[in-house]
Amino acid sequence: IMCLGAICAERDLHWSRQIVVSESMSNLSRALHVCGLAATCLLAFAAPSAAADDNLSAEDKLKLRMGLGVGTAPDYIGSDDYTVIPFPNFELSYAGYALRSSRLGVEADLVGITGLDAGPIIRYDRGRSSSVDDSVVALLPEVDGSVELGGFVGAGLPLSVIGLDNSSIITGRVEYLQGLGGGHEGATIGASVGLVSPVTDSLTLISSLSTTYMSGSYADSYFDVSAAGSAASGRSSSPA
């Protein structure tokens, strides 16, 4: 998914029932989750936060951040045709723990350590429908959507920690997902590295590079051409 832009808003919900409204994006280690991985994103509309009560510690605050982005995604895995899609995102955090959107799903950070995220993921794989733009692929059997379950580990390291006079943050992430049936029962392993770089007080550039490994079962679901698929599409029958 390529992120074209995002708008974010943040609220601090105190146990004392006081509300703090903020549009701050100062927590750059979280910013990578707004637009996903494998993309270069520009995040705007950031402003200094305004707090109603500075005496409360971070542990006393339940924070909710919500946003709406626009991006592009391929019609199906391996497609050269892309479609523009909206994607809402959110993050609910308390005392270092978080529940947030993760593409077409949600993930939970259960570590509670600044600069380190880890926990479970549940996500939905859209599969492949017969309404794709590729006229030949459209004749192949459809791949149903699948629920995927797995986990992730991510970390962020400010360059200033290693002695560089730079406010950027290096990020890394590894995730594992297993299909639970339906369209596929395969597994994928994704890994990415990124760089979060403040450009101005109101603009941050986030770039990342990712790669994905897929199991044989996953590849068969999307790239195998069965005898029936060959007869329908005219393509040669071949294993993935």
Side-chain angles (χ1 to χ4, degrees):
I1 297 176
M2 178 176 289
C3 174
L4 304 179
I7 301 175
C8 297
E10 182 177 293
R11 289 181 180 269
D12 293 344
L13 307 179
H14 302 290
W15 293 124
S16 60
R17 297 186 181 179
Q18 295 177 333
I19 297 177
V20 174
V21 179
S22 169
E23 293 179 353
S24 174
M25 294 296 290
S26 59
N27 190 349
L28 296 180
S29 64
R30 303 290 189 189
L32 191 59
H33 298 289
V34 174
C35 293
L37 305 173
T40 298
C41 310
L42 292 177
L43 300 184
F45 302 95
S49 61
D53 187 349
D54 294 332
N55 295 325
L56 293 175
S57 64
E59 286 74 14
D60 297 322
K61 299 177 183 178
L62 178 65
K63 293 184 178 181
L64 174 62
R65 184 173 65 203
M66 297 178 292
L68 178 64
V70 178
T72 60
D75 278 356
Y76 56 91
I77 296 175
S79 174
D80 292 329
D81 299 311
Y82 286 78
T83 183
V84 177
I85 58 172
F87 59 93
N89 61 82
F90 76 92
E91 180 178 83
L92 181 65
S93 60
Y94 174 71
Y97 303 96
L99 178 69
R100 66 175 72 95
S101 54
S102 177
R103 301 187 184 178
L104 296 179
V106 294
E107 64 184 37
D109 175 16
L110 303 181
V111 175
I113 300 175
T114 302
L116 178 65
D117 294 349
I121 310 173
I122 183 168
R123 195 177 289 169
Y124 181 71
D125 184 303
R126 296 184 302 160
R128 185 185 67 218
S129 73
S130 59
S131 61
V132 298
D133 289 339
D134 190 301
S135 58
V136 176
V137 175
L139 298 174
L140 294 172
E142 293 186 344
V143 179
D144 294 333
S146 305
V147 174
E148 299 173 327
L149 186 64
F152 74 98
V153 176
L157 177 67
L159 294 182
S160 59
V161 172
I162 56 177
L164 298 180
D165 184 17
N166 194 301
S167 58
S168 297
I169 298 175
I170 297 176
T171 63
R173 177 180 169 108
V174 176
E175 64 179 37
Y176 172 85
L177 287 166
Q178 172 66 53
L180 302 182
H184 78 84
E185 296 182 357
T188 60
I189 300 174
S192 68
V193 293
L195 186 67
V196 181
S197 304
V199 179
T200 67
D201 291 339
S202 59
L203 185 65
T204 298
L205 177 65
I206 304 174
S207 58
S208 68
L209 179 65
S210 68
T211 184
T212 301
Y213 163 82
M214 64 183 69
S215 68
S217 177
Y218 187 96
D220 287 344
S221 298
Y222 281 98
F223 304 111
D224 180 60
V225 179
S226 63
S230 176
S233 65
R235 301 189 65 174
S236 300
S237 176
S238 62

